[in-house]
Amino acid sequence: MARERSPALWLHTQPSVTRKMPVCHRILLLLWLLHFSSVYSDITDGNAEHLKREHSLIKPYQGVGTSPSSQWDFWGSTLVTSQYVRLTPDERSKQGSIWNTVPCYLKDWEMHVQFKVHGSGKKNLHGDGFAIWYTKERLHPGPVFGNQDHFVGLAIFVDTFRNDLQGMDRSFPYISAMVSNGSLPYDHGKDGRSTELGGCSVEVRNKDHDTYLAVRYSKGRLTIMVDVDDRNDWRECIDIGGVRLPTGYYFGSSAATGDLSDNHDIISMKICTS
C-alpha cells in the first residue's frame, strides 16, 4: 500500500546534492549551510500544519461534487472513487478534468501531486498524458490534455506519447512546464517544445507504486521535482526564475486519450504555504 505524504516545504535546491537522509540530519545540514551562507535546501515531510485544505484534494475526497458548497468539481470521463480520481479510463478518445472551485490568493505556494499512470498499452502504444493547471479560468475543455488552448497561467504536462518524430533528443514520458498569457498555442505536433520553460524525461508508467510530482512557486521562481521510485528521493526536473503568476487563479488537473489510451489517476493534490 502506498504511503500517504504530507506536502513539504523546501528552499532552492541544487540537483547534485543527495536528498534522502533522516530528518534530523537534514536539519543539521541546513543549519550548517546557513551558517556558511550557502543556498541549499531539501524536501522534508511533516509540514501538515501548512496544508491549505480548501485547495487540497485528499482521500476520501469529501467536498468533491456539484453542490454549491463543493470545493472541487469535475467534468467528462472523470470518475471519483474512494481511492483515486480517474481522469480517463484506459479507453480511446476520452477527456476528463477536476478543478478546485476556490481561487488561490497565496503569493507563494507548494503543491504535491500523488498520481498513477497505467494501462494495458505496451511501449510507445499508450497516451496521451495529463496536466496540472494553475490558470485564470477553469472547466474549459479543449485539445490540450483535456483543457483549453490559449490558457492564461501555468501548465505542467506529463506527456506520455511522442508526436514529434524528429525530436529524438528526449525520451517519453516527458514532463514540461509552460506559462501563457493567452496568446500562446500549445503545439501538439512538436510536443510543446517551442513554448516550454524546461523539462525532463521520467519513466512514470505502470509502476508498482504511486509516483509523485512536487511544484514550488516562490518569489518568481518555479521549481518542479519528481519521485518516481517511492523512496522519498527527489530529482530536480525544472528550476527557473523570472516566472510571474498572479493570485486568484485555480488549481486543476486534466487528461486525455486519443487513438491510444491509459488510466490517468490522481490520488492527491496537496497545497501548502511556504
Side-chain angles (χ1 to χ4, degrees):
M1 180 179 295
R3 67 183 185 275
E4 287 289 333
R5 297 183 178 188
S6 298
L9 307 180
W10 74 67
L11 302 174
H12 175 49
T13 57
Q14 297 187 16
S16 61
V17 179
T18 301
R19 300 177 176 81
K20 186 179 180 182
M21 61 180 70
V23 173
C24 60
H25 291 180
R26 297 180 203 159
I27 294 172
L28 290 174
L29 177 60
L30 181 57
L31 290 174
W32 183 85
L33 289 164
L34 287 174
H35 175 72
F36 287 97
S37 301
S38 298
V39 180
Y40 170 81
S41 84
D42 197 357
I43 293 183
T44 60
D45 289 327
N47 288 287
E49 67 271 16
H50 299 280
L51 183 70
K52 306 302 291 184
R53 295 190 177 276
E54 67 273 24
H55 300 305
S56 297
L57 182 69
I58 306 172
K59 297 177 187 179
Y61 311 118
Q62 295 176 347
V64 177
T66 57
S67 70
S69 61
S70 296
Q71 294 178 335
W72 292 81
D73 57 12
F74 54 92
W75 169 87
S77 60
T78 300
L79 173 67
V80 180
T81 75
S82 61
Q83 297 299 312
Y84 55 80
V85 175
R86 178 157 293 168
L87 300 174
T88 71
D90 189 6
E91 299 174 10
R92 297 171 61 181
S93 302
K94 298 294 184 181
Q95 290 188 355
S97 64
I98 188 163
W99 287 89
N100 194 198
T101 64
V102 183
C104 177
Y105 291 100
L106 301 172
K107 291 183 178 181
D108 298 328
W109 48 265
E110 183 172 317
M111 175 197 301
H112 278 210
V113 182
Q114 183 180 353
F115 66 95
K116 195 172 183 66
V117 179
H118 57 107
S120 58
K122 303 302 181 183
K123 184 174 177 62
N124 300 326
L125 293 175
H126 50 264
D128 288 327
F130 74 97
I132 303 296
W133 303 93
Y134 176 69
T135 53
K136 183 177 181 180
E137 297 180 314
R138 53 185 295 279
L139 275 178
H140 284 271
V144 184
F145 298 92
N147 194 40
Q148 66 178 351
D149 205 352
H150 296 275
F151 60 90
V152 178
L154 168 69
I156 299 163
F157 304 118
V158 182
D159 190 350
T160 59
F161 180 76
R162 180 194 302 277
N163 290 288
D164 183 9
L165 298 180
Q166 304 300 317
M168 302 304 290
D169 58 329
R170 60 180 61 172
S171 60
F172 282 70
Y174 187 80
I175 297 176
S176 64
M178 173 181 173
V179 171
S180 176
N181 62 1
S183 66
L184 300 175
Y186 178 81
D187 187 352
H188 274 285
K190 297 294 184 181
D191 297 313
R193 184 185 292 260
S194 62
T195 53
E196 73 173 42
L197 297 176
C200 64
S201 298
V202 184
E203 184 51 63
V204 298
R205 289 192 71 252
N206 284 344
K207 297 288 188 179
D208 293 332
H209 48 263
D210 294 331
T211 40
Y212 301 85
L213 182 149
V215 184
R216 184 175 193 256
Y217 177 72
S218 179
K219 297 177 174 59
R221 190 163 204 91
L222 178 69
T223 307
I224 298 174
M225 304 187 78
V226 294
D227 175 12
V228 298
D229 296 319
D230 196 25
R231 296 175 180 173
N232 200 27
D233 191 8
W234 294 87
R235 166 190 166 189
E236 186 175 283
C237 180
I238 299 170
D239 184 23
I240 187 169
V243 178
R244 296 292 178 261
L245 297 176
T247 59
Y249 284 13
Y250 296 92
F251 293 110
S253 182
S254 68
T257 64
D259 291 336
L260 302 173
S261 62
D262 257 335
N263 298 300
H264 296 98
D265 297 344
I266 301 294
I267 290 87
S268 65
M269 293 175 63
K270 299 177 181 179
I271 312 297
C272 65
T273 56
S274 56

